[in-house]
Every structure is written in structure tokens, then in C-alpha cells.
Amino acid sequence: MTDCAMDPCGDEGRTFLEAISEKYSPDNFPYRRGPGPGVLVVVPSGPQGSPMKDRLNLPSVLVLNGCGISRAGDEGEISAFCAHVVELDLSHNKLQDWQEISKIVSNIPNLEFLNLSSNPLSESPLDTSCAEAFVRVRRLVLNNTRVSWETVHTFTREIPELEELFLCLNEYEEVTPSVSPCPSLRLLHITDNNLQDWCEVRKFGPMFPGLDTLVMANNNLSSIEDSGEALRRLFPNLRSINLHNSGLNSWEDIEKLNFFPKLEEVRLLGIPLLQSYTNKERRSLIVAQHTNTCPPCRLPSVSVLNGSKVTDGEREDAERFFIRYHLDYPEEELPYRYHCLVTKYGKLEPLADIDLRPRCHAKVDVRFEDKVELTRIRLDQTVAELKKQLRTVVQLPTTNMRLYYIDKELGCAFGPEEMKYSSRVLHSYNIRDGDEILVVPKSK
């Protein structure tokens, strides 16, 4: 659902001012809602036929997605209405000219967040003079706009305090490097493109030397090809990386993530390498790969994996699991991490295979008068149900049975235990093979 009514202007679209007037007029928006402070703007009556209202309730966060906006409108009125606005969502409109967008942005002096997603901007060149209007923007969203790398570089060069950049769904297959780095950028969100080769991804390092978070889900990245030393230099400040649904298919690629010196958070769901493992094996093997166990490597410890915190206890369990998981591997196939962990814990023995599940059946001696018959009974049934099972064995009605349980090991010490509660489940008696059930008629 879009946020504005159907565009009445057809293919021409409407102006930014017309969209504001429609959405935030007293008729459609009588009370201020939403986060942040709002301003009641009073303007002089416009010319005959002007869509502007006498007064508008404008919040500091304007959401005008899907309003059919293609032009700015009167810049003086934009300045009068939007001086207090800090966030602006113009996604899913008809904006295709950077000149028109710059007219809007240049008249919103406090704008910090701008969303232009899904506007047809792929054919529009961005001049430096237009980009200067965006100088105060800190978070810029250009998803599904197909903007060129030249346009991206113009923005990163002209916006001195740009911190977050969103370039998803832009069909990028390669990255054009920039001659001017953008040291202020902390977050690059570039999911759902087609960046398969590491030689393209590595270009982000020099372009964004202060990068803290790299979100690259759904790019089908096939491998990480640089050496450890190169990775340290490329991304010296990277703290979080998201490689969900990439094409990584080698444990060597996972190990290479360790060379990012400040890495704390990794997201690795949906990669081919992990498809054959259980959920427990996946998490344990990845946690064990990313620890500071080997002092010569000075590797970081990933503290968050796939959104969940890694505790010290989980890390130790994972490291021990990693050793035992590789016990049967040939020496030449053992990963380097295995030898690091053996240095820490020694060569561990396999864990005993202990089945702690409650038993389902037992074979017991059913004794009645001078007869004894070996009978297999279900331990999840009640005493009442056991009586029904024994009717054919002892030829007594259930109402005339009294049952006693005799533990083969402790019976001599404690004697028979009467099974007097019809609803009690048999496994609560801890019945084992070889124990005895004594049946006594009630009439005796």
C-alpha cells in the first residue's frame, strides 16, 4: 500500500507541495501524529485554484511514498513549510530528474535522512551543483533506483558526513572504484545485487576506510580470495558483516573472516557450505572457527552469530565439539583451527553415547499363583491399562486384580510395592527388564 491517494495528475505526476497539501491538510490530517515534534504552518492564501491549504500540520518526519511526485513545486513554499523536517521518505514516486530533487532538498535545511527508493533515476546524470544540496544528509537510501556508480561517487564526494548508504536491488554486477574515499561512511547496505566476485567486493575497502557494517545478503558471493594480511588492510574497522544467502562453499572462506581485526558480528545463514549440517553443528563449527584461541594469529572473537549472542560457555562447548568432530579425519585433512584447539584442550576422547530418553517397553515376569509368564509391557500406560493387558494372562477381571511391583535388585530389601493408583503411569515405577509383577486376586 502506498501512503498517498491515487495520483490525479496522471502520467505527469504532482508536485511535492501538492502531495504535502493533500496529505497534511486539516481535512485529511487534523491532528499531529507520529514521532518527533510537529509544526502548525500558516501560509497566506494562494492564488485562485492553488491546491495549498491555509494551514498544515507537518511532523518532522514526512512520509510521502507513492504519491506520484515528479516535480518540486514552489521552492519558497517548500522552505516555509519544511524548515523543521529531519526525515523525508519519497520512495515509489515518479522523480527522475536530480534537478527537481535538489530543489526539494536544498529547501529543507535540517534534512538528515532521505529515502528515494524505487524512483526512475537510472538515466538522470547528477551534477556536482545538484549534489551540493544534499550536504547535510547523513543517511541516504537509493534502493531499486539503478543509479550508476558515478552518481554514487558524486554523492560520497559531496556529502562530507554521510554515514549510511543503501544501494540494494540495483542490479550491480561490478563496482567502479572511486578516486576519492568516503571516510565518514559507517554502514553500506548493498543486498540483492549480483556481486559474485570478491575482486569487486574488495573495492569497498579503499572507498570506505571507516566502514563498520557491511550488509551483503543475497549476492551469491562465491569466495573470499585475498590473503589474511590483505584482508586486515582492506577492512581495518569492519565490526559486522552479513553474508546471508551467499555462495560461500569452503571452510577456508569462513576462516578468512577472522582476519578482519575488529570483527564482532557475523551472519551466515543460507550458504551452501552449511546445508548438509544440523543446526547445532552449523553454529558450533562456526563459533569454534571464530575465536582468539591461537595467540600468534591475534584473531578476534565473534560475539554475535546470526543475531544471537555467543556466551563464554557456548564458545567452550563449541571448541570442544570442533575437536571431537574432527577426530576421525586424516592428519592431512585436519584444519589449522583443530591444532590450535588441541593446544588449548588436548586431544579429547569421544563423548559416551548415553540415551537419556525414557524407555518405552520392558519385559517382566508376571506371577499369578504358581504360574510365571514373561510379558512385554508398555511403560507409557497406566496401572489400569496394565490390568486390562493382563486379563488374558491371569484370567481375572480387572476389578478383581491387585498388582504388586517387585524390583529384581531391591525387592529383597524393600519387598513388593502395591500398584494401587489406577492412573499412575508405569515408567514412574522405574520398571526394568527382569522385574516382576505379582497379581493377587482381591477375594483372597
Side-chain angles (χ1 to χ4, degrees), residues 293-310:
T293 304
C294 304
C297 300
R298 297 178 183 170
L299 303 178
S301 293
V302 169
S303 57
V304 180
L305 175 62
N306 296 330
S308 298
K309 184 177 180 180
V310 179

Side-chain angles (χ1 to χ4, degrees), residues 5-10 13-14 22 67:
M6 188 68 70
D7 174 20
C9 302
R14 54 157 70 93
E22 176 179 310
C67 294

Side-chain angles (χ1 to χ4, degrees), residues 193-343:
N193 284 283
N194 195 29
L195 299 174
Q196 300 184 33
D197 296 330
W198 179 255
C199 64
E200 302 300 325
V201 178
R202 73 187 311 277
K203 297 174 185 177
F204 293 138
M207 287 166 60
F208 310 119
L211 196 65
D212 171 276
T213 301
L214 177 59
V215 184
M216 275 197 54
N218 305 323
N219 267 284
N220 204 29
L221 177 67
S222 58
S223 64
I224 299 175
E225 296 165 358
D226 273 308
S227 67
E229 188 56 40
L231 292 173
R232 286 193 188 96
R233 293 195 308 268
L234 281 172
F235 295 96
N237 295 297
L238 193 67
R239 185 195 58 81
S240 174
I241 190 167
N242 184 333
L243 295 171
H244 282 343
N245 299 317
S246 64
L248 297 180
N249 200 23
S250 161
W251 281 112
E252 287 76 15
D253 291 323
I254 307 302
E255 289 179 358
K256 284 183 178 181
L257 297 178
N258 284 315
F259 291 102
F260 299 136
K262 294 185 179 180
L263 193 67
E264 297 176 358
E265 179 175 4
V266 173
R267 293 176 181 264
L268 280 171
L269 294 176
I271 66 174
L273 172 66
L274 302 178
Q275 295 307 307
S276 62
Y277 297 95
T278 67
N279 288 337
K280 175 179 171 48
E281 288 172 341
R282 291 172 190 165
R283 186 169 177 89
S284 295
L285 292 172
I286 293 175
V287 168
Q289 292 274 2
H290 296 92
T291 66
N292 56 2
T293 304
C294 304
C297 300
R298 297 178 183 170
L299 303 178
S301 293
V302 169
S303 57
V304 180
L305 175 62
N306 296 330
S308 298
K309 184 177 180 180
V310 179
T311 65
D312 291 340
E314 181 187 12
R315 191 181 305 280
E316 180 174 343
D317 289 345
E319 290 171 351
R320 291 177 177 275
F321 174 86
F322 190 93
I323 294 174
R324 292 188 172 99
Y325 186 86
H326 291 91
L327 284 178
D328 296 330
Y329 276 54
E331 181 68 26
E332 63 273 12
E333 294 182 17
L334 289 173
Y336 177 65
R337 178 68 64 197
Y338 172 85
H339 300 291
C340 291
L341 295 175
V342 167
T343 301

